[in-house]
Amino acid sequence: MRSTPLALLSTALLLVLPMSSHAEPNGAAGKGRTSLTLPQRPLPPEAISVAGRYLAARVAEEDHDYEIGAQQLDHALAEAPNDPTLVYAAFRLHVYAGDFETSVRLAPKVLATRPGDGFANLVLTVDQVKRGEYRKAEQQLGHIGAENQLGPLRDFVVAWLKAGEKDFAAAREILARLKPQEGDRSEAPSLVIRAQIDELAGDRAAAEAKYRRAADLDPSGLRIAVATAEGLRRLGKGADAHALLQSYAEKYGDSVVMDGLLAANAPAPKPPTPATGIAEIMFDIGGILGSDQRNQRTDLALIFEQLAVELKPDLDFAWLMIAGIDEQFGKDAKAIAALGKIGPHSPLYWQARLRTATLDAQEGHLDEAVRRLREMAAEKPERIDAALTLADLLRSKERYKDAVAAYDMAILRIKKPDEKYWPVYFGRGICLERIKQWPRAEADMKKALELSPDQPYVLNYLGYTWIDQGMHLDEGMKMLKRATELRPDDGAITDSVGWAYYRLGQYDEAVKWLERASEQKGDDATVVEHLGDAYWHVGRHREARFEWQRALNQNPDKDRLPILQDKLANGLNASNDKPTVYEKAAEKNQGG
């Protein structure tokens, strides 16, 4: 069978601060759990016990409904205000919910029974930084228990606090100890921090030199480019800042739009402060936590990103991260709200608009999302991303004809096809195959393989479709065997090989592969139907009917329903033993 995968990127683990022994692993959106459902006619508050509210909050937390959980615990605290378990649980959920004011109010109560609690101390530290009470913030940071350190980034926080206290010598001494290997790309973020503290100290020449050095060491880093350009603008080097951003836009225009920063009315950059500097560090910690699959605590990443925007409300990188986490948790409306915080002058604004349109479609506003994406595609006719996002969205909604038109638009904008564009041709090929325009679909599949020859899902899709149509059987089998080498545990690809043997009449071999496919992907109606067909041909009729009934219960495609019902009633015969893609082979067997 054919499948289209999604992929995620991961990076290295830095820090885990324990918050809750029952927090949900891996950021899963409540899989296998019961969501909190409120009764149609709510019970009066006095009818709900403290224990009931605590349990309701636990359910809400596991479903990432942090606001609902925090509200339940607030009601419970009204009945038992000094219960340490309730206080800690309420603090934790208010932190998750991004309710900073309430978190600050509850933190001292948490510390009364948990003096080394990492997040209670960190929340108070952030609050003191916001107030400009840097010495108090440094003392508060020191109360964090040894098991809850901020990793190597803690000293950068302390350096910023020293700078806030005007003790620039101490700040520079700390940063000198933390200096990475000179000349390495990893030195760039440290150079930006050192430049900002030099700028805060009034040493403009030293700041300028460090900004320029950071940009040279990491020319592809968006945050480095933006921070350097902002620094140069503050130092009176506006022309150099503009040239830096223009060069970045020309080199990396496929992934970022710099129009807002390059505009004549771009807002003047704000001067660096300890709050904005520490916000960037909170963002870094959250980013590392959120991208490491070994960590399995995306909720912690959300907390650090929320602390980041508390310190620096216009930190667009953090808002983008928050939106991604909310989307991962299945909270699309919250993700849209977070994306709405990204302003029109941000280099992330275009990306935020694209993502908002996709989320709008997921929220049931497909026509509005399509309208927005078409407007964006017309707004920047030189860019491919809006047209491609529109095409992928329409394909996901099975509007294949409209999707083909959008893919056509995207492909016309490709100046020089190279390997990174193989998914575009693959996507259009899928849609063309679905609307029975096989010659064009086949050409697109071949083009995708020309650009990236070892893509297992393209090999699988093309090889499967060929064999299902009774064409190019030998070449199709070679493609499928190569796909299984690349993805041996993928049930869809294993099914394709089994179906190829079936189409070749090698039913015993087909059973072996299709049984394996059923073990790997037994919840797929196509896989199960294929296994039933193979069982019938080897004389295992009772098992065949069992598999067909399973397929019928697994939400098969509508056009398969009457065929499965016929197989159950009459067994396999010439009228229902047909390809699962087309009723008739498009061509006669050309593969031998």
Side-chain angles (χ1 to χ4, degrees), residues 51-66:
R53 292 194 182 279
Y54 178 76
L55 291 174
R58 287 284 298 271
V59 173
E61 179 181 358
E62 291 190 349
D63 205 36
H64 306 291
D65 287 321
Y66 301 125

Side-chain angles (χ1 to χ4, degrees), residues 115-137:
D117 185 80
F119 275 115
N121 279 295
L122 188 58
V123 163
L124 291 180
T125 299
V126 168
D127 183 55
Q128 288 153 358
V129 171
K130 288 182 65 179
R131 297 173 184 273
E133 298 173 351
Y134 304 119
R135 189 173 297 277
K136 284 185 179 180

Side-chain angles (χ1 to χ4, degrees), residues 458-536:
V458 185
L459 290 167
N460 173 64
Y461 204 106
L462 181 56
Y464 174 92
T465 307
W466 271 347
I467 288 169
D468 211 34
Q469 295 184 44
M471 355 169 7
H472 310 302
L473 298 181
D474 287 345
E475 189 176 355
M477 180 64 83
K478 289 178 183 178
M479 286 185 173
L480 294 177
K481 288 294 184 69
R482 179 56 181 154
T484 59
E485 291 173 3
L486 295 166
R487 293 289 186 274
D489 298 321
D490 190 297
I493 294 176
T494 305
D495 170 80
S496 295
V497 178
W499 193 240
Y501 280 117
Y502 181 95
R503 298 290 293 157
L504 292 169
Q506 300 179 30
Y507 300 118
D508 289 330
E509 193 68 20
V511 166
K512 294 177 185 178
W513 281 87
L514 292 171
E515 285 181 335
R516 179 177 155 197
S518 184
E519 291 173 1
Q520 295 171 332
K521 199 175 177 65
D523 59 348
D524 187 280
T526 299
V527 173
V528 174
E529 182 184 358
H530 285 173
L531 179 57
D533 291 357
Y535 277 157
W536 185 273

Side-chain angles (χ1 to χ4, degrees), residues 218-221 246-257 383:
D218 188 9
S220 63
Q246 185 66 51
S247 174
Y248 191 96
E250 291 170 358
K251 290 179 182 177
Y252 306 105
D254 287 348
S255 58
V256 68
V257 176
R383 296 187 65 84

Side-chain angles (χ1 to χ4, degrees), residues 84 106-115 120:
L106 290 172
K109 293 184 178 182
V110 172
L111 293 176
T113 57
R114 299 168 177 259

Side-chain angles (χ1 to χ4, degrees), residues 213-399:
R213 179 61 174 158
D216 289 341
L217 288 175
D218 188 9
S220 63
L222 177 58
R223 288 174 67 203
I224 296 297
V226 172
T228 297
E230 289 179 344
L232 291 175
R233 285 187 67 191
R234 288 192 298 266
L235 296 171
K237 306 294 182 180
D240 291 348
H242 190 279
L244 173 65
L245 295 175
Q246 185 66 51
S247 174
Y248 191 96
E250 291 170 358
K251 290 179 182 177
Y252 306 105
D254 287 348
S255 58
V256 68
V257 176
M258 287 290 195
D259 294 3
L261 287 179
L262 290 168
N265 64 344
K270 299 173 183 177
T273 67
T276 59
I278 294 171
E280 297 282 353
I281 295 169
M282 295 296 106
F283 167 78
D284 286 333
I285 296 173
I288 294 168
L289 288 170
S291 61
D292 193 306
Q293 295 179 348
R294 296 173 301 169
N295 172 36
Q296 299 186 345
R297 291 294 302 276
T298 309
D299 48 357
L300 297 185
L302 179 61
I303 291 172
F304 279 101
E305 300 304 334
Q306 287 168 335
L307 292 177
V309 296
E310 190 66 36
L311 288 167
K312 187 178 180 183
D314 61 351
L315 184 51
D316 294 333
F317 293 94
W319 284 118
L320 190 65
M321 177 72 77
I322 290 169
I325 294 171
D326 284 334
E327 184 181 356
Q328 186 177 344
F329 287 167
K331 307 301 177 186
D332 291 348
K334 291 182 67 177
I336 290 170
L339 291 169
K341 301 286 187 179
I342 299 174
H345 291 287
S346 170
L348 302 179
Y349 182 58
W350 182 262
Q351 183 179 349
R353 290 172 64 192
L354 291 174
R355 195 69 215 136
T356 297
T358 303
L359 290 170
D360 275 340
Q362 292 175 194
E363 286 286 280
H365 308 297
L366 178 60
D367 290 342
E368 174 64 16
V370 169
R371 182 188 65 78
R372 287 187 186 181
L373 289 170
R374 283 176 173 157
E375 287 178 352
M376 292 180 70
E379 179 182 337
K380 292 190 178 297
E382 76 283 1
R383 296 187 65 84
I384 187 177
D385 46 10
L388 183 55
T389 301
L390 174 61
D392 289 341
L393 174 61
L394 291 167
R395 175 167 61 87
S396 73
K397 300 300 182 182
E398 299 185 0
R399 287 175 51 175

